[in-house]
Amino acid sequence: MTDRSIEPLHPVARELTPPAGGLRAYPPVERWEDWEEFDPVAWPQRVKRQYSLIPTICFNCEAGCGLLAYVDRQTLKIQKFEGNPMHPGSRGRNCAKGPATLNQVNDTERILYPLRRVGPRGGGKWERVTWDEVLDDIAARIRKALVEDRPKEIMYHLGRPGHELVYLQRVFHAWGIDGHNSHTNVCSASARAGYAFWHGMDRPSPDHANARFILLLSSHLETGHYFNPHAQRIMEAKSRGAKVAVLDSRLSNTASMADFWLAPWPGSESAILLAIARVLVNEKLYDRDFVRRWVNWEEYLREERPDLPVTFDAFDRALGELYASFTPEFAEAESGVAAATIVEVAREIGRAGSALATHVWRNTAAGNLGGWQVARALELIVVLMGAVGTPGGTAPSAWNKAIPAPPMMPPPGKVWSELLMPREYPLSFFEMSFLLPHFLKEGRGKLAMYFTRVYNPVWTNPDGMSWIEMLTDEAKVERHACLTPIWSETAWFADFVLPMGHASERHDLMSQETHAARWIGFRQPVLRVALEKQGKTFDLTWQAHEAAGLGQVWEEDEFWIELSWKIDPDGSLGIRKYFESPYRQGQKLRIEELYRWIFENSVPGLPAAAAKEQLTPLQYMRKYGAFLIEDQVYRTHENAPPAGDPGVEIDGKRHLGFPTPSRKLEFFSKTLKAWKWPEQAVPNYIRSHVHWSQLDRAKGEMVLLPTFRLPTLIHTRSGNAKWLYEISHTNPLWLHPEDAARVSVATGDLLKVSTRIGHFVDKVWVTESVRPGVVACSHHLGRWRLQENAGGERWSLENVAGNPLRNWDARGFIHRTVYDALQRPTHGYIGRSGLGEILTDRLIYGEGHPEAGRYLKGHLFRHYDGAGVAEMSSCDFKGNVIASGRQLSTLTPPTRQASPASGAASILPSITWPAAAPGRRSEKASGRWRKGIGMAP
């Protein structure tokens, strides 16, 4: 702390004596076993608490960021979650979703025991059962289907993955089924396809930290994937002078921090990208030598331009001719983005050279007809700049990931389920999962056993009612087991609801392409680990959770092992052998043996690193939670091929190349041409189904943009994380002022949005942060009301300033707020129809009280509420609170009393404040009526 001016400390803290050695960003690893902190709840008393810091991995998006669970050594309760500084991807930092894991663990509505349906599906009646009863029922059904040669009737449908696919495929291969289904075709499949046609790998891995120019499509950082690892590295690049451009119809937080915000008409992004590519080619700003060496241009000329010689100069000419029509002016007409801006961005990219980091994931690729070509067009720019796998460039994902092999990987079964990959969609890049209810309705098959795992299609998929129809038909879905950490609309229609653990309650491995490196992270059940450190032993994780007071919450890894043994107890089906211990012949595989084998045999460098610390590889991963396998991973395609792999010859030398038919980057896809799509065999622009020419604005037709979410939300699991809902608790309709004027609405008004499959009603937010003609609404808030007697309607009356004066609901509860002349709340009341009301809040501001300290004018001085009174008695000149205190109230039992505010009787608790009771007054105000539909609690 030599330069104290840079420390973001509270003013009081600046006056404290600096600790020896200065402040630490994180607890040092050597003290994780016995870390000491003051209890924040006991403040101002300094009550010391001892914690064991146990690493795990966040489960609230796909980034796989590291967490440290602070486990109280005395109570064995998790106090909080913070970042793991030993994690190579997240480096000790987390977004809001990481610490909110504590809300999920302590959620009062979570499922703690396995439940079995009683009565009809969707009836909402359940009974508690044992795990053995669950396993016996499910195993008998699966065994019967396998013995009767009905393997296609077993399906596992995945929402949020824990493991990589290989670990799940190990189970399904052992069973001999083609049963893995996913949500990916309503998520990222289109973007993945665009990338895979280029280089055989289905995701980008931008090296943001070293980039000179960063080009992001859609609100990538706010759609949740890699938000924290990417955001911190983008900030590093920005601090070194990198420029950022964002193509997004919405002014996302990311776009608001960019150097260029290009707000295109949804679906027109490819036109912009190909116009940029045209500028790079025409102005000779691209890397000709890289394209000559690594692109399959010879194949393109032979197949598509036989009139030209097979020379690179001829290809350069053909490239210019191919994209001649994609002028900046054409792109402007299609997208609404100014031609001059497109040219400026293209030249900035040209100046960045090979340090060009790009990314597209969902949004425009997922939400538009032909969206897969957006990824193809974006990667064309990367390839033209020679920015593939370079420092500051964009690598294929697989080069920056590690997927350690499990023991005894079974061969795949010789079976193909057309419920997953139907013949009429030969180029579908992932399972056509959203069509499953329709396939079953058409009689293409049935399901004897259907698993859903952290997947909520009833809410998430666009035709949720079709899923309800499917899930309630026991002839189509004979048994449905929902593996989930929380209640969901889909769990409501299950036969078994099986509680599976959150981030701190399960084992699995994570590795993601967060930057130019390869790492693995180890998710582990921290309370089991804490108990085992005390010498306790458990056969299964649910037993440890039961001992820790977490009910019988389990984890999938052990569930699949136990289920597989139940399916094939004597080994006659050839399944059991894949779930036997590699260390104890013929014995059941234990969870610690699975990871012991993986860490000893499949993670390069880990055994040696563990040995240096006199630890086994498993002990090392339990201690640190992550391991960096390789850093500074660049130009992997230029490596020599392994033995037996011919690779690809470039300028007389053999290289590894890419996993494509040509082993090069495929500008021209012979695969697409062979499958009767020759016009799309090169990067192209496909007009979206919501192209502006297809809409009649005069009739009120607009584009609905629902393919985004905020970085603080977790699909449909947000409602079980209180802190996240406190940050993001509204999802208004984003509406441009031009459109608001056309339909005569203002911010806060209700608007009905109708589509071909239904409608919804939401409040309007009038903003220039969305382009005209587009209405945007996030889809990650709220819950369905599945029972008529739960939830209900709510109404509000607002004053002329738009502040709520009175809110009431169908159950008769009334909330009333009083404001001063500056529209600051001063009084809050709660009551019930016919029973009067009581004062619950009183707020006093500095200029209105003689005891208020200096600089408190305009600031809150005292707040009386049900807990007592909080006083902010002093501020500095910036308005920072430097002295505050709280006195607790005395709460008396509920009594029938007269409310001074209304004179009516009230059956509510009365509050005695430690200071003089605040005065009461009423307010009359003009206002307008609002009615909104409430959501179930």
Short mmCIF file of all heavy atoms in Angstrom, two decimals, residues 164-200:
data_model
loop_
_atom_site.label_atom_id
_atom_site.label_comp_id
_atom_site.label_asym_id
_atom_site.label_seq_id
_atom_site.Cartn_x
_atom_site.Cartn_y
_atom_site.Cartn_z
N GLU A 164 -18.33 -32.66 -20.14
CA GLU A 164 -18.34 -32.68 -21.59
C GLU A 164 -19.14 -33.90 -22.05
O GLU A 164 -19.37 -34.85 -21.28
CB GLU A 164 -16.91 -32.75 -22.13
CG GLU A 164 -16.14 -31.46 -21.99
CD GLU A 164 -16.70 -30.35 -22.86
OE1 GLU A 164 -17.27 -30.64 -23.93
OE2 GLU A 164 -16.56 -29.19 -22.48
N LEU A 165 -19.52 -33.89 -23.30
CA LEU A 165 -20.38 -34.95 -23.85
C LEU A 165 -19.74 -36.33 -23.70
O LEU A 165 -20.45 -37.32 -23.51
CB LEU A 165 -20.67 -34.64 -25.32
CG LEU A 165 -21.50 -35.66 -26.09
CD1 LEU A 165 -22.87 -35.83 -25.44
CD2 LEU A 165 -21.66 -35.21 -27.54
N VAL A 166 -18.42 -36.42 -23.76
CA VAL A 166 -17.76 -37.72 -23.75
C VAL A 166 -18.10 -38.51 -22.50
O VAL A 166 -18.25 -39.74 -22.54
CB VAL A 166 -16.23 -37.57 -23.92
CG1 VAL A 166 -15.62 -36.82 -22.74
CG2 VAL A 166 -15.56 -38.93 -24.06
N TYR A 167 -18.29 -37.85 -21.37
CA TYR A 167 -18.56 -38.57 -20.13
C TYR A 167 -19.98 -39.12 -20.11
O TYR A 167 -20.24 -40.19 -19.55
CB TYR A 167 -18.32 -37.65 -18.93
CG TYR A 167 -16.90 -37.15 -18.88
CD1 TYR A 167 -16.56 -35.89 -19.36
CD2 TYR A 167 -15.87 -37.95 -18.38
CE1 TYR A 167 -15.26 -35.44 -19.35
CE2 TYR A 167 -14.56 -37.51 -18.36
CZ TYR A 167 -14.25 -36.25 -18.85
OH TYR A 167 -12.96 -35.81 -18.85
N LEU A 168 -20.92 -38.39 -20.71
CA LEU A 168 -22.28 -38.91 -20.83
C LEU A 168 -22.35 -40.01 -21.89
O LEU A 168 -23.04 -41.02 -21.70
CB LEU A 168 -23.24 -37.77 -21.19
CG LEU A 168 -23.46 -36.74 -20.08
CD1 LEU A 168 -24.17 -35.52 -20.64
CD2 LEU A 168 -24.27 -37.34 -18.95
N GLN A 169 -21.63 -39.81 -22.99
CA GLN A 169 -21.64 -40.83 -24.03
C GLN A 169 -21.06 -42.15 -23.51
O GLN A 169 -21.42 -43.22 -24.00
CB GLN A 169 -20.86 -40.35 -25.26
CG GLN A 169 -21.55 -39.24 -26.03
CD GLN A 169 -22.82 -39.69 -26.73
OE1 GLN A 169 -23.55 -40.54 -26.24
NE2 GLN A 169 -23.09 -39.09 -27.88
N ARG A 170 -20.18 -42.07 -22.55
CA ARG A 170 -19.64 -43.29 -21.95
C ARG A 170 -20.76 -44.15 -21.38
O ARG A 170 -20.78 -45.37 -21.52
CB ARG A 170 -18.63 -42.93 -20.87
CG ARG A 170 -17.97 -44.12 -20.21
CD ARG A 170 -16.92 -43.67 -19.20
NE ARG A 170 -16.28 -44.80 -18.58
CZ ARG A 170 -16.77 -45.44 -17.51
NH1 ARG A 170 -17.89 -45.02 -16.96
NH2 ARG A 170 -16.15 -46.48 -17.00
N VAL A 171 -21.74 -43.49 -20.73
CA VAL A 171 -22.88 -44.21 -20.17
C VAL A 171 -23.75 -44.78 -21.27
O VAL A 171 -24.11 -45.97 -21.27
CB VAL A 171 -23.71 -43.27 -19.26
CG1 VAL A 171 -24.96 -43.99 -18.74
CG2 VAL A 171 -22.86 -42.76 -18.10
N PHE A 172 -24.09 -43.94 -22.26
CA PHE A 172 -25.03 -44.38 -23.29
C PHE A 172 -24.40 -45.39 -24.24
O PHE A 172 -25.08 -46.29 -24.74
CB PHE A 172 -25.57 -43.17 -24.05
CG PHE A 172 -26.13 -42.12 -23.13
CD1 PHE A 172 -25.86 -40.78 -23.30
CD2 PHE A 172 -26.91 -42.50 -22.05
CE1 PHE A 172 -26.36 -39.83 -22.44
CE2 PHE A 172 -27.43 -41.56 -21.18
CZ PHE A 172 -27.14 -40.21 -21.37
N HIS A 173 -23.10 -45.27 -24.49
CA HIS A 173 -22.42 -46.30 -25.28
C HIS A 173 -22.45 -47.63 -24.55
O HIS A 173 -22.65 -48.69 -25.16
CB HIS A 173 -20.98 -45.89 -25.56
CG HIS A 173 -20.85 -44.78 -26.56
ND1 HIS A 173 -19.63 -44.28 -26.97
CD2 HIS A 173 -21.78 -44.06 -27.24
CE1 HIS A 173 -19.82 -43.30 -27.85
NE2 HIS A 173 -21.13 -43.16 -28.03
N ALA A 174 -22.22 -47.59 -23.25
CA ALA A 174 -22.25 -48.83 -22.46
C ALA A 174 -23.63 -49.48 -22.52
O ALA A 174 -23.74 -50.71 -22.57
CB ALA A 174 -21.87 -48.54 -21.01
N TRP A 175 -24.68 -48.65 -22.53
CA TRP A 175 -26.04 -49.20 -22.62
C TRP A 175 -26.38 -49.63 -24.04
O TRP A 175 -27.39 -50.32 -24.24
CB TRP A 175 -27.06 -48.15 -22.18
CG TRP A 175 -26.99 -47.77 -20.74
CD1 TRP A 175 -26.15 -48.26 -19.78
CD2 TRP A 175 -27.81 -46.80 -20.08
NE1 TRP A 175 -26.38 -47.66 -18.56
CE2 TRP A 175 -27.40 -46.76 -18.72
CE3 TRP A 175 -28.84 -45.96 -20.50
CZ2 TRP A 175 -27.99 -45.91 -17.78
CZ3 TRP A 175 -29.43 -45.11 -19.56
CH2 TRP A 175 -29.01 -45.09 -18.22
N GLY A 176 -25.60 -49.19 -25.03
CA GLY A 176 -25.87 -49.56 -26.41
C GLY A 176 -27.01 -48.79 -27.04
O GLY A 176 -27.74 -49.31 -27.89
N ILE A 177 -27.17 -47.52 -26.65
CA ILE A 177 -28.28 -46.72 -27.16
C ILE A 177 -27.77 -45.47 -27.87
O ILE A 177 -26.65 -45.03 -27.65
CB ILE A 177 -29.24 -46.30 -26.02
CG1 ILE A 177 -28.56 -45.30 -25.07
CG2 ILE A 177 -29.73 -47.52 -25.25
CD1 ILE A 177 -29.49 -44.67 -24.04
N ASP A 178 -28.61 -44.92 -28.72
CA ASP A 178 -28.40 -43.59 -29.30
C ASP A 178 -29.43 -42.69 -28.62
O ASP A 178 -30.47 -42.39 -29.18
CB ASP A 178 -28.61 -43.63 -30.82
CG ASP A 178 -28.48 -42.26 -31.47
OD1 ASP A 178 -27.76 -41.41 -30.91
OD2 ASP A 178 -29.11 -42.03 -32.52
N GLY A 179 -29.12 -42.27 -27.40
CA GLY A 179 -30.15 -41.64 -26.58
C GLY A 179 -29.86 -40.25 -26.10
O GLY A 179 -30.62 -39.71 -25.29
N HIS A 180 -28.76 -39.63 -26.56
CA HIS A 180 -28.42 -38.29 -26.08
C HIS A 180 -29.15 -37.23 -26.88
O HIS A 180 -28.98 -37.10 -28.09
CB HIS A 180 -26.91 -38.05 -26.16
CG HIS A 180 -26.50 -36.70 -25.65
ND1 HIS A 180 -26.53 -35.57 -26.43
CD2 HIS A 180 -26.08 -36.30 -24.42
CE1 HIS A 180 -26.13 -34.53 -25.71
NE2 HIS A 180 -25.86 -34.95 -24.50
N ASN A 181 -29.97 -36.44 -26.21
CA ASN A 181 -30.64 -35.30 -26.82
C ASN A 181 -30.16 -34.05 -26.11
O ASN A 181 -29.70 -34.11 -24.97
CB ASN A 181 -32.16 -35.44 -26.70
CG ASN A 181 -32.89 -34.75 -27.83
OD1 ASN A 181 -32.33 -33.91 -28.52
ND2 ASN A 181 -34.16 -35.10 -28.02
N SER A 182 -30.26 -32.90 -26.74
CA SER A 182 -29.78 -31.66 -26.13
C SER A 182 -30.70 -30.51 -26.53
O SER A 182 -31.58 -30.66 -27.38
CB SER A 182 -28.34 -31.34 -26.58
OG SER A 182 -28.32 -30.93 -27.94
N HIS A 183 -30.46 -29.36 -25.90
CA HIS A 183 -31.23 -28.15 -26.22
C HIS A 183 -30.56 -27.34 -27.32
O HIS A 183 -31.05 -26.27 -27.68
CB HIS A 183 -31.34 -27.28 -24.97
CG HIS A 183 -30.05 -26.58 -24.64
ND1 HIS A 183 -28.94 -27.24 -24.19
CD2 HIS A 183 -29.68 -25.28 -24.74
CE1 HIS A 183 -27.95 -26.38 -24.01
NE2 HIS A 183 -28.37 -25.19 -24.33
N THR A 184 -29.46 -27.81 -27.88
CA THR A 184 -28.55 -26.97 -28.65
C THR A 184 -29.19 -26.38 -29.90
O THR A 184 -28.79 -25.31 -30.36
CB THR A 184 -27.28 -27.77 -29.01
OG1 THR A 184 -26.78 -28.37 -27.81
CG2 THR A 184 -26.21 -26.87 -29.59
N ASN A 185 -30.18 -27.06 -30.47
CA ASN A 185 -30.77 -26.51 -31.68
C ASN A 185 -31.71 -25.34 -31.43
O ASN A 185 -32.21 -24.74 -32.38
CB ASN A 185 -31.51 -27.61 -32.47
CG ASN A 185 -30.83 -27.85 -33.82
OD1 ASN A 185 -30.48 -26.89 -34.49
ND2 ASN A 185 -30.63 -29.09 -34.19
N VAL A 186 -31.98 -25.00 -30.18
CA VAL A 186 -32.64 -23.73 -29.89
C VAL A 186 -31.62 -22.77 -29.27
O VAL A 186 -32.00 -21.74 -28.69
CB VAL A 186 -33.86 -23.89 -28.96
CG1 VAL A 186 -34.95 -24.66 -29.65
CG2 VAL A 186 -33.48 -24.54 -27.64
N CYS A 187 -30.37 -23.10 -29.38
CA CYS A 187 -29.32 -22.29 -28.76
C CYS A 187 -28.25 -21.96 -29.80
O CYS A 187 -28.40 -21.03 -30.58
CB CYS A 187 -28.75 -23.03 -27.56
SG CYS A 187 -27.44 -22.17 -26.67
N SER A 188 -27.20 -22.72 -29.85
CA SER A 188 -26.00 -22.33 -30.59
C SER A 188 -25.71 -23.19 -31.81
O SER A 188 -24.65 -23.03 -32.43
CB SER A 188 -24.80 -22.41 -29.65
OG SER A 188 -24.69 -23.72 -29.07
N ALA A 189 -26.60 -24.10 -32.18
CA ALA A 189 -26.28 -25.04 -33.26
C ALA A 189 -25.97 -24.33 -34.57
O ALA A 189 -25.09 -24.76 -35.32
CB ALA A 189 -27.43 -26.03 -33.45
N SER A 190 -26.69 -23.25 -34.88
CA SER A 190 -26.45 -22.56 -36.16
C SER A 190 -25.06 -21.96 -36.22
O SER A 190 -24.35 -22.10 -37.23
CB SER A 190 -27.52 -21.48 -36.37
OG SER A 190 -28.77 -22.05 -36.63
N ALA A 191 -24.66 -21.27 -35.17
CA ALA A 191 -23.32 -20.70 -35.15
C ALA A 191 -22.26 -21.79 -35.19
O ALA A 191 -21.24 -21.67 -35.88
CB ALA A 191 -23.13 -19.82 -33.92
N ARG A 192 -22.50 -22.87 -34.45
CA ARG A 192 -21.55 -23.99 -34.46
C ARG A 192 -21.38 -24.55 -35.87
O ARG A 192 -20.27 -24.87 -36.30
CB ARG A 192 -22.05 -25.09 -33.52
CG ARG A 192 -22.00 -24.77 -32.04
CD ARG A 192 -22.69 -25.89 -31.29
NE ARG A 192 -22.81 -25.67 -29.86
CZ ARG A 192 -22.12 -26.33 -28.94
NH1 ARG A 192 -21.23 -27.21 -29.29
NH2 ARG A 192 -22.32 -26.09 -27.65
N ALA A 193 -22.50 -24.69 -36.59
CA ALA A 193 -22.43 -25.22 -37.94
C ALA A 193 -21.59 -24.32 -38.84
O ALA A 193 -20.75 -24.80 -39.62
CB ALA A 193 -23.84 -25.38 -38.52
N GLY A 194 -21.80 -23.01 -38.71
CA GLY A 194 -21.03 -22.09 -39.53
C GLY A 194 -19.54 -22.22 -39.32
O GLY A 194 -18.74 -22.18 -40.28
N TYR A 195 -19.14 -22.37 -38.06
CA TYR A 195 -17.71 -22.55 -37.76
C TYR A 195 -17.21 -23.92 -38.24
O TYR A 195 -16.11 -24.03 -38.80
CB TYR A 195 -17.47 -22.40 -36.26
CG TYR A 195 -17.46 -20.97 -35.78
CD1 TYR A 195 -18.46 -20.49 -34.95
CD2 TYR A 195 -16.44 -20.10 -36.16
CE1 TYR A 195 -18.45 -19.17 -34.51
CE2 TYR A 195 -16.42 -18.78 -35.73
CZ TYR A 195 -17.44 -18.32 -34.90
OH TYR A 195 -17.42 -17.01 -34.48
N ALA A 196 -18.01 -24.96 -38.00
CA ALA A 196 -17.55 -26.31 -38.33
C ALA A 196 -17.33 -26.49 -39.82
O ALA A 196 -16.41 -27.21 -40.24
CB ALA A 196 -18.56 -27.33 -37.81
N PHE A 197 -18.15 -25.86 -40.66
CA PHE A 197 -17.94 -25.96 -42.10
C PHE A 197 -16.60 -25.31 -42.51
O PHE A 197 -16.05 -25.64 -43.56
CB PHE A 197 -19.09 -25.33 -42.87
CG PHE A 197 -20.34 -26.18 -42.88
CD1 PHE A 197 -21.54 -25.69 -42.43
CD2 PHE A 197 -20.28 -27.50 -43.34
CE1 PHE A 197 -22.68 -26.47 -42.44
CE2 PHE A 197 -21.42 -28.30 -43.36
CZ PHE A 197 -22.63 -27.79 -42.90
N TRP A 198 -16.11 -24.39 -41.70
CA TRP A 198 -14.83 -23.76 -41.98
C TRP A 198 -13.66 -24.64 -41.56
O TRP A 198 -12.75 -24.92 -42.34
CB TRP A 198 -14.71 -22.42 -41.23
CG TRP A 198 -14.99 -21.21 -42.05
CD1 TRP A 198 -16.06 -20.38 -41.94
CD2 TRP A 198 -14.18 -20.67 -43.09
NE1 TRP A 198 -15.98 -19.35 -42.85
CE2 TRP A 198 -14.83 -19.51 -43.57
CE3 TRP A 198 -12.98 -21.05 -43.68
CZ2 TRP A 198 -14.30 -18.72 -44.60
CZ3 TRP A 198 -12.45 -20.28 -44.72
CH2 TRP A 198 -13.12 -19.13 -45.17
N HIS A 199 -13.65 -25.06 -40.27
CA HIS A 199 -12.44 -25.71 -39.76
C HIS A 199 -12.68 -27.00 -38.99
O HIS A 199 -11.76 -27.52 -38.35
CB HIS A 199 -11.61 -24.74 -38.92
CG HIS A 199 -12.36 -23.98 -37.88
ND1 HIS A 199 -13.16 -24.58 -36.93
CD2 HIS A 199 -12.42 -22.64 -37.64
CE1 HIS A 199 -13.68 -23.65 -36.15
NE2 HIS A 199 -13.26 -22.46 -36.56
N GLY A 200 -13.91 -27.53 -39.03
CA GLY A 200 -14.16 -28.82 -38.40
C GLY A 200 -14.33 -28.77 -36.91
O GLY A 200 -14.54 -29.80 -36.26
#
